[in-house]
Amino acid sequence: MAHGPIRLGLCLAAFAPAGLDGALRAAGQAGVDVVDLPADSTFKLVDAQRLDDPEHHAELRTALAAAHIRVGCVSNSRDTQLVLGPHGPHTDPVLAGTAEEKREYGTRAALGTVRLAAGLGAPLVRLMLGVPDLGRWLSWWGSDVSWSDNVEAWCSAAKPALELAAELGVRVVVEPHPKQVAYDPASARALLAAAEGVGLCVDPANLAAVGHDPVNAVRGWGSDLAAVHAKDLQVWQEPFEPRGSGWSRYGPGPAIRFRALGSGSLPWPEIVAALLDEDYRGVIYVEHEDALLPTDQGAANSLAALRRLLPSASAQGRTW
């Protein structure tokens, strides 16, 4: 386990097929003691019908204590997506229904996730609330509609969860992603400026996937930077379609796929150095999304790569 200024953690979403006990056991075997716990109903690591139930919180605390694991962040990215949508067939696998039914479902999930975070003593809750209109990426002739309208809609829709989080002493964080109102550094800055107290979870691979520099992605946020996700990235540059597993697209750009650290093209030595230069003192959560490697192996590879880059104690500097 790291004992320097930055700790290493694990996102448990990839370990969901093993169930909560199996996921916690895998985290311990990987040598981490802090996790990002997804509360999404699709992962079934927690009881999505009991997110606000103190008895369920107590059950989860017992399991965490037995595994010697603490929760640094509770996340919800699929149920809460229905707060802002889209509200059509894209989100029917989570809940089929009217737009209003989906919004109500997503809002209940967001509030329950905040209560779960508080009940587990987690300082952060990462909510991905969706985006009402991706067409606002572009400017349209004769129209004054812009991305700021999405930011305004996010602030309005997020207000109940933000108020509850403030009451319970939990900090809401957002993660820039093409399916979210905060999708790049500029839109993230706009959202942070409009929503007081909200923090940022940066995934350099997500930002690199849409053309942003992954090193600069972690610079300049100051105390707004509350969490970091770690995975690597491959970008397909050939004129024909890629072969193999895991390829997808983030919009009109080239195909991309996520890999374990060391299997892609991201400069993680420079990213970690930038985090140290920025005095980041949070957790780097390894997020396994590598379609070519078994989950345990991919997570182990990523953690080993980060351990080689992070100081285990105070650096002595030049001694000669």
Side-chain angles (χ1 to χ4, degrees):
M1 299 182 186
H3 297 287
I6 298 175
R7 300 191 69 82
L8 294 180
L10 201 58
C11 292
L12 293 188
F15 297 86
L20 180 63
D21 289 340
L24 295 177
R25 186 163 52 251
Q29 291 170 346
V32 302
D33 61 1
V34 58
V35 298
D36 178 314
L37 177 65
D40 312 64
S41 61
T42 53
F43 291 125
K44 298 180 170 48
L45 286 172
V46 303
D47 188 339
Q49 303 303 315
R50 301 172 64 200
L51 294 181
D52 56 359
D53 182 351
E55 291 187 4
H56 187 40
H57 302 170
E59 294 165 1
L60 294 171
R61 288 197 303 269
T62 298
L64 289 160
H68 305 288
I69 300 289
R70 67 180 177 87
V71 177
C73 180
V74 175
S75 59
N76 198 315
S77 57
R78 298 187 181 180
D79 298 317
T80 57
Q81 177 83 21
L82 275 65
V83 173
L84 290 173
H87 293 130
H90 312 79
T91 51
D92 279 354
V94 176
L95 178 77
T98 66
E100 185 57 31
E101 288 170 338
K102 291 188 177 192
R103 278 191 290 267
E104 290 178 356
Y105 175 88
T107 299
R108 286 196 306 272
L111 294 173
T113 303
V114 171
R115 291 193 183 279
L116 175 61
L120 298 182
L124 304 177
V125 58
R126 181 169 56 89
L127 301 178
M128 301 182 77
L129 303 184
V131 58
D133 188 354
L134 285 168
R136 294 170 184 167
W137 264 342
L138 305 173
S139 59
W140 302 93
W141 184 86
S143 171
D144 60 0
V145 173
S146 72
W147 199 259
S148 64
D149 298 287
N150 279 339
V151 173
E152 183 178 340
W154 189 95
C155 291
S156 176
K159 186 176 180 181
L162 294 177
E163 290 178 344
L164 180 62
E167 176 187 333
L168 298 179
V170 177
R171 188 181 192 189
V172 172
V173 299
V174 296
E175 179 185 351
H177 188 282
K179 294 179 181 177
Q180 303 303 312
V181 169
Y183 70 92
D184 69 354
S187 57
R189 284 191 290 270
L191 192 150
L192 294 179
E196 183 178 355
V198 174
L200 196 68
C201 172
V202 168
D203 185 330
N206 278 338
L207 291 171
V210 292
H212 294 277
D213 182 271
V215 180
N216 287 335
V218 302
R219 288 182 172 142
W221 298 109
S223 61
D224 287 333
L225 184 58
V228 174
H229 282 182
K231 56 181 179 274
D232 217 328
L233 176 74
Q234 285 183 289
V235 180
W236 185 257
Q237 302 290 4
E238 302 298 328
F240 49 89
E241 287 299 297
R243 295 181 58 186
S245 301
W247 294 100
S248 62
R249 278 189 167 82
Y250 274 5
I256 57 99
R257 71 176 170 187
F258 297 119
R259 301 297 313 279
L261 266 63
S263 299
S265 60
L266 295 190
W268 273 98
E270 289 89 342
I271 295 170
V272 170
L275 287 167
L276 292 168
D277 289 340
E278 293 284 315
D279 291 324
Y280 176 66
R281 293 295 181 267
V283 180
I284 299 177
Y285 293 96
V286 164
E287 186 175 34
H288 175 81
E289 295 185 12
D290 192 319
L292 300 185
L293 293 176
T295 302
D296 289 341
Q297 182 184 357
N301 287 358
S302 294
L303 287 165
L306 288 169
R307 288 184 178 116
R308 287 193 295 269
L309 298 173
L310 287 169
S312 58
S314 298
Q316 288 77 43
R318 182 169 178 173
T319 58
W320 67 91

